[in-house]
Amino acid sequence: MNTDLRVQYFDLRGDNEATDYFVDGAFMATEKLKVKYELHYVDTDVTGNSEQDWETFHLKGIYFPSEGKWGETPYRTAIGLEWIKSFDNADKGIGVDSDVISPFGGVALQVTHDLMLIPLLQHYIEYDGDEVNLTAARLIGLWKFDRGYWGKLDAKLPYDWDDEVAPASAEVQLCRMFNPRFGLYLEGLAGLGNDRAYNWGLGIGLRFIY
């Protein structure tokens, strides 16, 4: 079980900026069912004024139906469903006024002893509020280093079927676990392509394991 306290700053397009303050946690409900949660509070100036309010609450269930080996590569499959509840603050430039259901599936591949790759596909669709119809391909890479360090790459390529845009992004994390229960990580973020939602970003997080 872990809880992370995180802050991410974004340099947005159009000379605007936003800061996302959020809690990000997870726990194993059963041997094959993981539950993740997030709660986001945003400070932004996209409307021309400084605005602060709650953005979204996320609740995600991840089920691991099978595991084994493909040749010499261990794998574990995952399917799940994410619920995203909006606090309806789009008039302040914070999120969208849509409550969303999002099924997903993927597989974790233990490529080497120190490297795991996780490709997955997720679709987002609203059940209440403004229309959302988006599919995202994602690749997560996790590297384990010596002395309690680990790294993470999170590359995302979403496609908005209504607006026909693909605001791609990539995030790199470097973490140091100071002991088995506490760690700190730094993040660098980049918006990619002409449809990017932001130019660049920086983040910091504290991890508590219990």
Side-chain angles (χ1 to χ4, degrees):
M1 181 180 297
N2 70 275
T3 299
D4 295 1
L5 304 179
R6 303 176 63 180
V7 179
Q8 290 181 336
Y9 168 84
F10 296 92
D11 177 69
L12 306 177
R13 304 183 72 176
D15 294 324
N16 298 118
E17 58 186 14
T19 304
D20 186 4
Y21 305 88
F22 60 109
V23 177
D24 177 0
F27 62 91
M28 294 300 297
T30 71
E31 193 175 89
K32 289 195 171 187
L33 179 63
K34 185 176 186 178
V35 176
K36 288 179 58 67
Y37 57 88
E38 299 176 20
L39 180 62
H40 293 256
Y41 184 89
V42 173
D43 181 346
T44 185
D45 64 355
V46 296
T47 64
N49 299 310
S50 179
E51 302 279 5
Q52 306 86 31
D53 218 322
W54 297 102
E55 182 193 39
T56 50
F57 173 71
H58 301 236
L59 187 63
K60 181 187 295 186
I62 309 169
Y63 179 66
F64 305 103
S66 65
E67 58 184 278
K69 279 192 173 184
W70 287 332
E72 296 300 316
T73 303
Y75 74 89
R76 182 167 65 166
T77 60
I79 56 174
L81 188 69
E82 182 173 9
W83 173 53
I84 305 172
K85 174 63 179 176
S86 170
F87 289 97
D88 295 338
N89 286 311
D91 60 322
K92 300 178 181 179
I94 297 172
V96 295
D97 292 347
S98 304
D99 297 332
V100 172
I101 287 290
S102 180
F104 60 89
V107 59
L109 303 169
Q110 193 69 53
V111 180
T112 69
H113 176 73
D114 298 322
L115 171 62
M116 177 179 289
L117 294 178
I118 309 171
L120 60 91
L121 192 67
Q122 186 164 3
H123 184 70
Y124 301 82
I125 191 164
E126 95 292 339
Y127 66 89
D128 186 42
D130 298 335
E131 186 172 359
V132 173
N133 185 17
L134 184 146
T135 302
R138 186 175 177 185
L139 178 64
I140 300 171
L142 299 171
W143 285 266
K144 187 186 299 181
F145 304 118
D146 294 333
R147 300 175 60 187
Y149 287 94
W150 57 263
K152 178 181 177 181
L153 169 68
D154 191 351
K156 302 173 184 176
L157 180 59
Y159 183 77
D160 188 317
W161 296 96
D162 296 324
D163 294 335
E164 298 183 344
V165 295
S169 64
E171 174 182 333
V172 175
Q173 290 182 358
L174 179 63
C175 176
R176 169 73 189 277
M177 295 300 298
F178 295 99
N179 59 54
R181 295 185 177 273
F182 174 72
L184 178 146
Y185 53 89
L186 303 176
E187 303 172 304
L189 305 101
L192 305 174
N194 294 331
D195 299 329
R196 65 189 181 276
Y198 63 91
N199 297 313
W200 58 270
L202 295 172
I204 187 169
L206 299 176
R207 171 158 292 180
F208 300 90
I209 298 176
Y210 47 93

